[in-house]
Amino acid sequence: MEPVVPPEVTAELTQILSNLVLGDNDIRSNAEAVVDERLSHRPDVYLLALTQFATRSDTVEMMRSFSFVLLRRLLFRPTPNPSAKSARLTLYDRLSSQTLTSIERTLLHSLLHEQIDSVRRKAVDTICDMANNSMERGRPWHALQAQAFAMCKSGEPSARESAFRVFAGCPNLVMDLQTDAVLRVLQDGLQDRQSIDVRHAALRASVSYLTSCDQHQVAQSLSLMYPMLDTLPSLSHAHLPRFLNTLTPLTSTHPQLFAPHLPALLSFLPALILPSADPGPTPTVARPFPGTQSFTFPPAPNGGADADELDEEAEEVRKAALEFMISLSEAKPALVRRVDGWVAAIVRGCLGGMGELRDDELGAWLEADPAEDPTDDTYPHVYEQSLDRLACAVGGKSVLPAAFQHIPGMLASHDWRLRHAGLMAIASVAEGTSKVMQNELGKVVDLIAPTFMDPHPRVRYAACQCVGQLCTDLDEVIQAQFHQQIFEVLIPTLEAPEPRVHAHAAAALINFCEGVERDTLLPYLDPIVERLLKLLNPAQDGSRQTKRYVQEQAVTTLAMVADASETTFAKHYTSIMPLLLNVLRNANSPEYRKLRVKAMECAGLIAIAVGRDVFRADAGAFVELLIRIQNSPVDPNDTMLPHYLIATWAKVCQAMGPEFEPYLPVVMPPLLRAANAKADVSVYEDEDVPESKEGWDIIEMDGQQVGIRTAAIDEKCQAFETLVIYCSTLGARFAPYLQQSLAVVLQSLRFVLHDGVREACAMVLPMLISCGKASGTIDADTVTNVVQHVASVISQETDSTFLASLFKCATDSLRVWGDVTSETRLALEGAAKQQLQALADRRKARGGRSAAEIEEDREDLALLEEMEDFALEEMAKMLALFDGNHPLRIAISSVRDLGLGLGAWDSDGDVAEE
């Protein structure tokens, strides 16, 4: 194309772009400043120059790609140095119609003529972004629509691929066209005989189209699923994963589309997720599931390709196929349960993958710190996680029979890898199948117990993991019924010769103690403590140096044992507390960070367990050590310390009771700072959203991708939970901090980024009112303002789960104060009326859905209505304070009757029968 900007501008831009890609930070920063300055004064010229630069054939390939990326970012970013009026405008909004037309025309030229694949794809991304934003602003790009359709019929595969990429990135281009015409174009692309890339781009476009369709359009487009799924069978292993990965999001958004195709999918997907035959030392290793066929579908090419490369391709196929099946199972569990063989196939695939451990890593595994285990990179985590997800989705009635068809044989295998996999499989399914597993728990324990004597340390480690997981997922049941069998194998394992094994046995004891009755634990207390102290102290003869992670685990387990055994632990107090205080005095170097905080936690739990009379002698020394640690210079790398300090101070308060009051000036300022902390939030552009970022959660809020630093809001939540402890323990003695606490609590009732923060705030408000009443530091006007604020939050709340907590908060606050003003009553009644209307509207809308739709979403709807019923119940309790026969209670009954009557929600994945 002929240049449309002056050559001197192009020359300057070329230099700017060259500086932007340099590694020198100063040069790059100066170039960024120049870009901002030029765009603030002449955006039309420089954005047009950038577009022209990206499309010039004489420009280096890398610079063309970079230019497209930069153009995409600049067009829709806020205006540099905006005035108050233009604060919300982007550079695109400042461009003249003539400039926009020129940019569009230049981009279309590039779309049609760019020869380099990587550059053309960057051009497509920029074009799609511009098209989507243009349409949002009421400027449809008709020329793009026409050119994309024309390119679909081009003789050049690259042109056809680009056209379908445009449809995938901007489905609105076709949403207003005749459905039949769109389907014909997409089907032609899906059946393209020349190019796999064209077929894949058409598949992406099809998924994007179906995802964007309304219900009526989806119903008219059902036929598209046949050519979409028909793209799979002919693919080699090299290409199959990306096709499956493209289809997988559709299983979550529109799982019902796959319903007619499940038998066909079941005819080949299981073959993809089963392990290929392993030429191991025995037939059992090669075929861990006797009676099944080991085969691959579709056949893998073998044209001289490297064996490792083929293995890697096959593994990618397995993971992609497994993710597809799991995602569909999670989206529509009732649908896949009805397909005979679906769940069993996934279970077989997961069990096979879990048995694929390397046999040459034992030495490295034994020597490794669990937190830095190099063998973790080759561990088959994906298969364990998939089995767990499947069990949680479809429930125990479907998963357990399929799993235990294989697990007993695996546990009896001569191959330690299959024995290990069998134990880890039990642990993986426990959460999702706990309700059903309870009925056969004795048989499960009988299967597990002998494996604690297994000759292979990794199998014994897996046995500890299995028992620990069962103690968590079948909380209290397994401890009450099978404590003797478990203690008989777990306590001796604390003396296993391998640190990895005896440390994991100690970890399993934590899970056990979390659900055990005190009287159940007491007969075993002495041998447990005796062995844990041996793990904590290096051997006197120096024959074995205790590893630090073992000491950390021993301290943690001692804390839980003390917590579970309560006052009975007092006889061991003098043996343990001096050791813990010694750790706090001396463990100051960075490698002892974790041991120090674990010692803090342990000492706090022991103090609670033995009571203030026993603890009093060491309380002063312990508190002084905590103050010293709190006042020491902040180590930015010690991310654990703030959390453990807050938690330990709370434990000391619980242990000391009223005697803790003098330390409030020490603990409250940092606690209030943590409670007042603002959320650390990042808003991402679509292309900038990281797949994962350690310490951050990515959520969608108001149509934007938002990253939230979890550590900060978790600490904020912990601060409010600690406020609950201080206020409930100290009562009127907490009065000096009442007003500051009230202010931050009321503000955080609307903190939507963390449910725990809001729940703790709702819980502590009545306690603060009680503190103020007992100390005479709160008046009726303040209480009225507090409750009216709660009423305001209630009226705007949309989360039924939290709604119940808010009504309870209001009820408890009024009961504590003992008086209800007319203003307060009117505010709460008004909020209740608003919520009754909102709940009635939601339930009526659900009632208007078809029976098929309700059945598909039965479990989710049952859980949702159960939460709403809790809210209605708490609302009724609040209204009963005003009038035992309050007229709104009739309305509550009417709203409850609008429910679908699906029965109680069952956490095992099934809805209980009425």
Side-chain angles (χ1 to χ4, degrees), residues 711-728:
I713 60 173
D714 287 344
E715 191 174 317
K716 184 182 182 80
C717 179
Q718 184 190 24
F720 283 107
E721 292 169 346
T722 304
L723 271 182
V724 172
I725 293 171
Y726 288 165
C727 194
S728 61

Side-chain angles (χ1 to χ4, degrees), residues 767-822:
M767 298 177 185
L768 291 171
I769 292 173
S770 176
C771 164
K773 182 178 181 181
S775 60
T777 54
I778 196 171
D779 56 26
D781 288 343
T782 301
V783 174
T784 298
N785 290 335
V786 167
V787 179
Q788 288 186 340
H789 181 86
V790 174
S792 173
V793 177
I794 289 173
S795 65
Q796 300 171 30
E797 186 55 52
T798 58
D799 181 353
S800 300
T801 308
F802 185 52
L803 194 57
S805 300
L806 285 171
F807 280 120
K808 188 176 189 306
C809 171
T811 304
D812 292 347
S813 298
L814 294 175
R815 281 178 177 156
V816 165
W817 187 246
D819 183 36
V820 183
T821 65
S822 57

Side-chain angles (χ1 to χ4, degrees), residues 175-348:
M175 298 311 295
D176 60 345
L177 302 179
Q178 287 289 329
T179 301
D180 288 345
V182 176
L183 296 185
R184 278 195 300 273
V185 170
L186 293 174
Q187 182 169 335
D188 287 345
L190 292 166
Q191 296 172 342
D192 194 285
R193 296 182 178 182
Q194 279 186 283
S195 170
I196 286 179
D197 290 333
V198 173
R199 296 201 296 273
H200 181 249
L203 183 65
R204 288 182 55 200
S206 301
V207 169
S208 182
Y209 173 73
L210 290 172
T211 303
S212 304
C213 283
D214 58 32
Q215 280 189 322
H216 178 68
Q217 287 173 307
V218 168
Q220 290 184 311
S221 306
L222 297 178
S223 62
L224 185 61
M225 289 299 294
Y226 290 93
M228 288 172 67
L229 295 175
D230 278 346
T231 60
L232 302 177
S234 62
L235 295 171
S236 69
H237 280 185
H239 299 289
L240 190 53
R242 62 173 173 151
F243 278 72
L244 285 169
N245 292 337
T246 298
L247 276 169
T248 296
L250 194 62
T251 65
S252 298
T253 59
H254 291 75
Q256 69 278 4
L257 291 175
F258 294 89
H261 308 280
L262 287 180
L265 289 168
L266 190 60
S267 71
F268 76 94
L269 283 176
L272 300 179
I273 64 173
L274 285 174
S276 56
D278 173 11
T282 71
T284 307
V285 177
R287 296 180 61 206
F289 304 116
T292 65
Q293 294 293 320
S294 292
F295 62 101
T296 304
F297 182 96
N302 58 10
D306 182 80
D308 289 340
E309 185 179 330
L310 290 177
D311 286 346
E312 188 174 332
E313 284 182 359
E315 186 62 16
E316 289 304 309
V317 170
R318 287 175 70 186
K319 291 177 180 177
L322 184 60
E323 179 61 30
F324 177 93
M325 296 183 78
I326 292 290
S327 297
L328 185 54
S329 302
E330 288 177 321
K332 274 290 174 282
L335 179 67
V336 301
R337 283 195 208 105
R338 294 195 292 266
V339 180
D340 187 35
W342 181 274
V343 171
I346 299 177
V347 169
R348 281 173 53 207

Side-chain angles (χ1 to χ4, degrees), residues 570-689:
K571 64 180 179 178
H572 298 288
Y573 179 84
T574 55
S575 301
I576 298 172
M577 186 59 81
L579 291 174
L580 299 174
L581 296 179
N582 190 50
V583 169
L584 295 179
R585 290 189 188 98
N586 300 308
N588 298 315
S589 54
E591 65 267 26
Y592 290 107
R593 287 175 187 143
K594 186 173 181 180
L595 182 60
R596 180 173 65 170
V597 297
K598 291 296 183 181
M600 287 166 46
E601 177 186 52
C602 184
L605 283 169
I606 289 175
I608 295 172
V610 301
R612 79 182 68 159
D613 292 335
V614 175
F615 175 59
R616 189 177 285 115
D618 294 304
F622 186 32
V623 167
E624 287 302 318
L625 286 167
L626 291 179
I627 293 174
R628 190 194 78 182
I629 293 169
Q630 180 169 298
N631 293 335
S632 60
V634 175
D635 180 356
N637 295 317
D638 191 354
T639 56
M640 296 181 289
L641 183 59
H643 166 84
Y644 278 93
L645 259 177
I646 292 175
T648 303
W649 279 122
K651 293 177 178 65
V652 173
C653 176
Q654 289 173 284
M656 297 181 69
E659 297 174 23
F660 185 77
E661 181 186 0
Y663 302 112
L664 278 177
V666 175
V667 300
M668 284 304 295
L671 188 76
L672 288 170
R673 282 197 299 273
N676 267 308
K678 305 298 182 186
D680 193 350
V681 173
S682 296
V683 179
Y684 298 105
E685 298 290 338
D686 287 344
E687 70 272 15
D688 296 333
V689 178

Side-chain angles (χ1 to χ4, degrees), residues 101-162:
T101 301
S102 296
I103 290 175
E104 290 170 351
R105 187 165 53 246
T106 306
L107 289 174
L108 291 179
H109 181 272
S110 174
L111 179 66
L112 193 59
H113 295 95
E114 177 59 59
Q115 298 299 309
I116 305 299
D117 287 347
S118 60
V119 179
R120 187 171 60 252
R121 286 167 185 169
K122 290 290 189 295
V124 168
D125 292 340
T126 303
I127 287 168
C128 290
D129 216 26
M130 188 166 180
N132 287 325
N133 281 280
S134 296
M135 281 187 267
E136 285 179 8
R137 290 160 170 79
R139 180 187 169 93
W141 194 350
H142 297 300
L144 173 62
Q145 183 187 60
Q147 181 166 313
F149 272 102
M151 289 170 66
C152 288
K153 300 175 182 178
S154 168
E156 290 295 325
S158 60
R160 299 197 299 276
E161 179 195 355
S162 295

Side-chain angles (χ1 to χ4, degrees), residues 49 51 91 95 141 145 151 153-154 219 347 353 386 426 496 532 547 615 629 692 706 754 760 861 871 877:
T51 309
L91 288 171
L95 299 180
W141 194 350
Q145 183 187 60
M151 289 170 66
K153 300 175 182 178
S154 168
V347 169
S386 296
I426 296 173
L532 290 173
K547 292 182 180 287
F615 175 59
I629 293 169
S692 62
V706 178
H754 198 299
L861 293 174
K877 291 178 182 177

